Amino acid sequence: MAELTALESLIEMGFPSGRAEKALALTGNQGIEAAMDWLMEHEDDPDVDEPLEMPLGHILGREPTPSEQVGPEGPGSAADESKPTLTEEERQEQTKRMLELVAQKQREREEREEREALEREKQRRRQGQELSAARQKLQEDEMRRAAEERRREKAEELAARQRVREKIERDKAERAKKYGGSVGSRPTQPVTEPGPVPSSPSQEPPSKREYDQCRIQVRLPDGTSLTQTFRAREQLAAVRLYVELHRGEEPGGDQDPVQLLSGFPRRAFSEADMERPLQELGLVPSAVLIVAKKCPS
């Protein structure tokens, strides 16, 4: 039996003859190992089984025809000489080595693919960590903006309350200057003002005269009372703010908001009423209000 050619060895190892011829031709007939490397690398190519367009004399691994063997020396040259024969045992040993080489190439390919898969997994985890860090930073920025917005709103609220306090102080000073008495005392009423003062908003003044002053007495929950004169066109919110500023400090920090009630008929003033003038609410020329703690909503 003649020694196996490279093509026959590849076919013996299970490779299709078309692929084996193509591998040998494209690797320049550099040996079985180079051909096997090409076959392992291109086994998934869609055109791996397409035939290679080459002259018949260049198909490596095939014995040339007698017409192709005619050369300068003519027929019967050294190319016709038989190759050394191999025993069956040597042939099996050669096949075994080829199969081991194929297995080694397969292991190398699997190890390479495993390394590539591991690298892709590392890249995926790294991208996931970067995305998580970016998401966390975005949440922190949103929380910081929300906290800044709350601080700004609180500062605006404090500034608004301060403006109301300053307005009340200016009004008190103007009233004291106008009537020549203390701010907390009742100003001298005009001669045309009726003598008796109604004790509740339900009591109408005896005349249709328009009053520009309103005397409000506020009864606190602890039994004490506050008395202050306001303009008839001032809002009820000015009375509530005056009560909050003068009802006395309670231990424990900020005090609870207050609810204003009328004595008779009993009426609880709403937040909408706080924007209405005292004259419109029927509190002119005088009225008695009761303070109750407002339950936070």
Side-chain angles (χ1 to χ4, degrees):
M1 182 181 299
E3 182 182 3
L4 293 176
T5 63
L7 177 61
E8 292 172 343
S9 299
L10 292 173
I11 296 174
E12 185 72 18
M13 286 185 285
F15 294 105
S17 60
R19 292 189 184 185
E21 291 180 1
K22 191 173 183 179
L24 289 169
L26 293 177
T27 56
N29 198 23
Q30 296 181 2
I32 296 177
E33 184 173 354
M36 283 195 303
D37 288 341
W38 188 93
L39 288 169
M40 299 292 290
E41 183 177 354
H42 297 275
E43 65 175 347
D44 296 328
D45 292 354
D47 60 345
V48 66
D49 292 320
E50 294 182 3
L52 186 65
E53 297 288 338
M54 292 186 65
L56 295 177
H58 289 81
I59 299 178
L60 301 178
R62 179 179 63 80
E63 293 294 336
T65 61
S67 61
E68 295 170 350
Q69 292 178 351
V70 176
E73 299 179 359
S77 62
D80 292 333
E81 296 181 0
S82 300
K83 297 179 181 180
T85 60
L86 294 176
T87 63
E88 183 66 22
E89 182 179 356
E90 291 174 341
R91 183 172 176 273
Q92 292 178 358
E93 182 67 22
Q94 183 180 14
T95 302
K96 180 180 178 181
R97 289 196 301 271
M98 294 299 102
L99 293 176
E100 291 176 353
L101 184 59
V102 171
Q104 178 181 354
K105 295 296 182 182
Q106 184 67 25
R107 287 194 300 271
E108 292 176 355
R109 179 183 178 183
E110 292 176 354
E111 291 175 357
R112 183 176 66 255
E113 291 177 351
E114 184 177 355
R115 288 194 300 270
E116 293 175 353
L118 182 61
E119 184 63 27
R120 288 194 298 270
E121 178 65 17
K122 290 181 179 179
Q123 180 70 13
R124 185 189 66 80
R125 292 183 179 181
R126 182 164 55 251
Q127 292 176 352
Q129 292 174 354
E130 293 175 354
L131 181 60
S132 177
R135 187 182 296 111
Q136 182 178 0
K137 184 178 184 301
L138 180 61
Q139 293 176 352
E140 292 175 354
D141 292 342
E142 291 178 352
M143 293 176 62
R144 184 170 56 254
R145 285 194 295 269
E148 292 175 354
E149 181 68 16
R150 287 194 297 269
R151 287 195 295 269
R152 185 184 64 79
E153 292 176 354
K154 187 174 182 180
E156 291 178 354
E157 182 180 356
L158 292 176
R161 292 171 65 91
Q162 181 62 28
R163 287 194 296 269
V164 175
R165 293 192 187 98
E166 293 174 354
K167 181 179 182 301
I168 291 175
E169 294 298 329
R170 288 195 301 269
D171 292 343
K172 289 164 61 177
E174 290 176 2
R175 285 194 293 271
K177 182 179 179 181
K178 180 177 180 180
Y179 298 105
S182 61
V183 176
S185 62
R186 179 181 176 182
T188 304
Q189 299 293 338
V191 178
T192 58
E193 181 178 354
V197 178
S199 59
S200 66
S202 62
Q203 298 177 353
E204 297 293 336
S207 65
K208 298 297 183 179
R209 181 181 181 277
E210 293 292 334
Y211 296 94
D212 59 350
Q213 300 290 331
C214 178
R215 183 174 182 272
I216 301 295
Q217 180 181 6
V218 182
R219 296 177 182 175
L220 302 177
D222 59 358
T224 60
S225 62
L226 298 172
T227 302
Q228 178 64 18
T229 301
F230 299 89
R231 290 185 179 179
R233 291 186 298 274
E234 286 190 81
Q235 297 177 351
L236 184 59
V239 179
R240 182 174 65 178
L241 181 58
Y242 174 80
V243 173
E244 292 177 350
L245 294 176
H246 295 82
R247 60 174 170 168
E249 297 291 334
E250 293 180 3
D254 295 338
Q255 302 186 68
D256 296 331
V258 298
Q259 173 75 52
L260 295 179
L261 310 173
S262 61
F264 182 83
R266 192 170 184 84
R267 173 187 177 186
F269 294 100
S270 63
E271 286 297 325
D273 294 333
M274 295 298 152
E275 306 296 328
R276 300 173 61 186
L278 300 175
Q279 188 177 31
E280 183 179 333
L281 294 172
L283 303 179
V284 176
S286 65
V288 177
L289 300 179
I290 302 172
V291 172
K293 290 187 175 180
K294 182 180 179 182
C295 297
S297 57

